[in-house]
């Protein structure tokens, strides 16, 4: 279980993977049983929220030789959506997911006195989609990945060198492969790209990922790390894994100085600097950031962290959602965090984050984690957060019949002023060591106001040509944007959303290894188009929003000796 769990968290020894939180995962268990991808048409549609898992099996173990193995197989059933058409008064069914077989296998060998490792992994997904099946336009018929990784440790683990190499191949109907080419992971149809192109006749997609890292993990004062990763444009693992963006080359370096021996002022401290740069395969710089950080533990065991980062001007080939590249401005970010001792009966940490850029974007977020233990049986954790963000280049839509400078289309952007209030609430009570009651709740309120609409002026530029805006429709439900003598309508995207989600779980381990769970889940939500910013009263108002309740029972049985 630990072997497959580690593979799910990150299959890349040495980290990396494209920067910006884009570390690929070859195995992501939530893909099994995920919502169907097919569409269903009707005036009323009862669409399945998940895909039913007919059966699954997992085998893991470790041999005396230091070899660890893990295998997983699962089968999901075909799903249909029930529909109703008012004019004909007929009910119907439309197939929205095919029967699918999933398989994962991983073998890892440990060797050497320092615990070096080498691993190999394969995943596959096979869908019951015949030629000409309409579902072939929404997913691949076959998906396969193979990857290997190694981690060499030297001088009792003081130094590490990591390498990883993987490949992916998906095959299926031409419409399904075209969908992958157009997906947000690659946008092969970008009008200003020359090193890839959209081919509607393709029936397969193949890609690779490779990485190399070196790190000093221990030492008296100095630690460092350097890694580079390459993800080719055709790399695709989202059938059973997770990948945000392909088409990336990244390089990261880190240097840290630390003092671990207690002194008169500090119990310990560390200061470090990190530089990260990302490019696409066309050589366009996608991100460049330098960040410095300092961490201090005081004599009373309180901790303080401070960071400051600078972002260089770059380009982003994803902002226009398949259109030309758009420039991004220089910016900065900072954070401050203070936390009391972990040994305290009441634990608390508070974090403040601030950022901004030269085009008027900004962000402020204040969050906290507070944990109380009024008695040995009770534990209460509150995690409130308030965020205000002004996004200076929020994509709105793409409109045809635009200027020739942007390939005959208008790529419309706007400023959005967004406010979010939320708080996680966790309350645990232990009746006995084997009987626990756990509550989780999250009231949430968010609002957003769009303003200063404009269209991309030229490929690679961050400048926007302003668009005049006027409201129309009932309650200003739509907007009319004007560019000279041309005008077009858009849906008003201002929003005010309230929600409250909660779980109440009674857990009883009725005999060693066998557990019964009683679960009550509540989900409330409401939304409206308004330019009013949410406040503290709104987050409490989410308790009265309309919603639904779910009651579930689950039990596990431990059969000893098998």
């Amino acid at each position: 279980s630990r072997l497959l769990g580690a593979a799910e968290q990150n299959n890349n020894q040495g980290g990396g993977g494209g920067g910006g939180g884009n570390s690929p995962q070859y195995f992501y268990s939530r893909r099994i049983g995920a919502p169907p991808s097919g569409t269903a048409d009707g005036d009323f549609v009862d669409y399945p929220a998940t895909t039913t898992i007919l059966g699954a099996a997992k085998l893991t173990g470790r041999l005396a030789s230091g070899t660890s193995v893990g295998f997983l197989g699962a089968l999901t059933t075909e799903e249909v959506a029930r529909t109703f058409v008012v004019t004909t008064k007929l009910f119907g069914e439309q197939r929205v997911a095919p029967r699918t077989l999933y398989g994962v296998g991983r073998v890892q060998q440990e060797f050497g006195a320092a615990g070096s490792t080498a691993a190999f992994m394969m995943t596959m997904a096979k869908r019951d989609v015949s030629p000409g099946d309409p579902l072939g336009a929404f997913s691949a018929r076959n998906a396969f990945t193979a990857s290997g990784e190694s981690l060499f440790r030297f001088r009792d683990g003081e130094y590490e060198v990591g390498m990883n190499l993987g490949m992916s191949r998906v095959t299926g109907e031409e419409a399904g492969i075209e969908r992958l080419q157009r997906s947000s992971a690659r946008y092969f149809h970008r009008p200003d790209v020359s090193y890839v192109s959209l081919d509607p006749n393709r029936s397969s997609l193949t890609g690779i990922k490779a990485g190399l890292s070196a790190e000093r993990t221990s030492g008296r004062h100095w630690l460092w790390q350097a890694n580079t990763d390459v993800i080719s444009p055709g790399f695709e693992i989202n059938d059973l894994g997770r990948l945000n963006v392909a088409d990336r080359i990244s390089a990261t370096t880190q240097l840290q100085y630390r003092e671990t021996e207690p002194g008169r002022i500090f119990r310990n401290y560390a200061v470090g600097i990190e530089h990260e740069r990302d490019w696409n395969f066309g050589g366009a710089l996608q991100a460049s950031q330098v960040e410095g950080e300092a961490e201090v533990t005081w004599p009373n065991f309180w901790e303080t962290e401070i960071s400051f980062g600078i972002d260089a001007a770059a380009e982003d080939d994803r902002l226009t959602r398949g259109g030309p590249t758009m420039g991004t401005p220089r910016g900065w970010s900072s954070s401050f965090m203070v936390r009391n001792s972990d040994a305290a009966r009441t634990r608390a940490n508070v974090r403040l984050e601030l950022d901004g850029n030269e085009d008027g974007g900004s962000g402020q977020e204040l969050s906290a984690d507070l944990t109380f233990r009024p008695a040995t049986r009770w534990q209460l954790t509150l995690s409130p957060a308030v965020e205000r963000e002004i996004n200076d280049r929020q994509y709105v839509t793409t409109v045809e019949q635009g200027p020739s400078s942007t390939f005959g289309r208008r790529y419309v952007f706007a400023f959005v002023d967004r406010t979010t209030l939320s708080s996680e609430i966790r309350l645990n009570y232990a009746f006995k060591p084997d009987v626990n009651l756990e509550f989780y709740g999250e009231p949430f309120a968010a609002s957003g106001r769009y303003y200063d609409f404009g269209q991309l002026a030229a490929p690679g530029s961050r400048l926007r040509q302003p668009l005049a805006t006027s409201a129309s429709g009932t309650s200003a439900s739509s907007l009319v944007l004007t560019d000279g003598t041309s005008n077009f309508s858009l849906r008003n995207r201002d929003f005010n959303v309230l929600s409250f989600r909660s779980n109440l779980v009674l857990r009883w381990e009725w005999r060693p290894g066998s557990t019964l769970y009683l679960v009550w889940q509540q989900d409330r939500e409401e939304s409206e188009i308004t330019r009013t910013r949410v406040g503290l009263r709104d987050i409490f108002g989410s308790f009265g929003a309309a919603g639904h309740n779910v009651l579930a029972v689950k039990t596990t049985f431990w059969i000893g000796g098998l």
Side-chain angles (χ1 to χ4, degrees), residues 5 8 55 95 102 131 139 162 216 229 293 305 319 348 379 398 424 506 512 517 546 555:
E8 181 175 1
R95 188 163 160 265
Y102 297 95
S139 56
R216 189 186 188 198
D229 282 274
E293 184 178 43
E305 295 180 7
L319 276 176
Q379 177 170 304
T398 299
E424 292 186 359
L506 178 64
Y517 300 89
T555 186

Side-chain angles (χ1 to χ4, degrees), residues 146-179:
S147 59
E149 62 186 41
S150 59
L151 185 66
F152 300 95
R153 295 186 171 97
F154 306 96
R155 294 183 60 175
D156 295 327
E158 180 179 351
Y159 296 93
E160 294 181 352
V161 174
M163 295 177 286
N164 65 80
L165 178 65
M167 64 81 63
S168 68
R169 181 171 174 80
V170 293
T171 61
E173 295 293 291
E174 294 174 352
I177 301 304
E178 180 179 350
R179 185 184 183 91

